[in-house]
Structure formats: C-alpha cells, structure tokens
Amino acid sequence: MTFIATRRQLFALGLVAATVLMAAPDSASAQQRPGGGFANNPGMRLWNTLDQRFDGFAEQLSLTEAQTLGITLLVENFREENKGALGRYETMMADMRNRARGARSGGARTGQRPPNRQAMRGAGGALREILQELGPALEALHTDVTAMLDDEQADRMRELLARQRPGG
C-alpha cells in the first residue's frame, strides 16, 4: 500500500468518525455519560445487544424462561413500533460502512468515489434526526428491560453495557 493510499484511508475514516460525532444528539437526556453522545446512551447499547447478541445476553444474565419471553416480546414490540426509524438507521449505517470500506480499499481503483465532506455532513444531520426520534423509545426499552430483572441481573447488565465500545 502506498503512502498516499494510506493517507486517503485515514482521511476517509476521519470523515466517518466526524460524521458519527456530529450525529450525537445535543439533548441532555441522550448524554448519559460524561463526554456522552448517543453512542453512550444505555438504551442504544442495550438495543444493539438485544438486536445482535440476545442469546449471549440472556446467558450472561441467567435469565429465567419468563424473563426471556418477556424481553423477547419487548424487543419485538420495539422493532415493530420503530420499524421506519430503525430501517433508516440501518440503511444509513450500512451506507457509511460501505463508504469507509470503499475508501480503505482504494476507491479510485474500484470505481467508487471517496466520501466528500458535504455528503458526510448531510448524512450526519439525517442520522442525528433518526437517533433523536429513537431516543425516547430506547430509554423506555432500557427502563422496561431493567424492570424485568432482579437487582443482581440489573447490576450485571449495567456492567456488560458499560464494557461495550460505543456504538455497538
């Protein structure tokens, strides 16, 4: 890999990181931790866990059959009630990953255009709107799941979610 190609990759990754940072909502409720932003929202971290790694989550918390069923129903209801926003979020995140991947693989050689700042800024604004739309529902999901757990399980869930890297 040449020096110029490496610089292009770093630049493209920097643009993606800047877009994600720009997408962090400004509201105090979304900033659950110092230096927060939406990636540090416990509801978003919980959603990513429930959506992508539910079996591991259930096992690590030693959920009972009734708890597993209840949380499964909460997840299904959340997914149904927020279908539009979740679909737009997943599409936008996939597009951002593809742009970054294209830049890393030398977009010029593959025929892909490198991400430009204006396009990334626009994506950041749209992402912010989606995440602000999901914010109250994510907070409610976090509250509802926590209510189904005993104190020990709730403490363990907080530990697990705190250890996750932001955004997933």
Side-chain angles (χ1 to χ4, degrees), residues 12-80:
L13 290 174
L15 285 175
V16 170
T19 299
V20 170
L21 289 174
M22 286 174 24
D26 299 325
S27 72
S29 67
Q31 295 186 1
Q32 301 293 329
R33 291 185 176 178
F38 208 81
N40 284 326
N41 180 299
M44 180 53 106
R45 287 180 179 223
L46 177 61
W47 169 249
N48 286 329
T49 298
L50 295 175
D51 187 45
Q52 299 167 12
R53 299 176 291 279
F54 184 82
D55 291 338
F57 173 82
E59 185 178 311
Q60 289 179 314
L61 294 184
S62 302
L63 295 180
T64 65
E65 196 171 314
Q67 288 172 318
T68 301
L69 178 61
I71 293 171
T72 300
L73 290 173
L74 285 173
V75 169
E76 288 174 5
N77 288 338
F78 177 85
R79 194 175 277 128
E80 182 61 32

Side-chain angles (χ1 to χ4, degrees), residues 14 19 23 34 122 141 155 165:
T19 299
L141 177 67
D155 289 342
R165 64 182 174 78

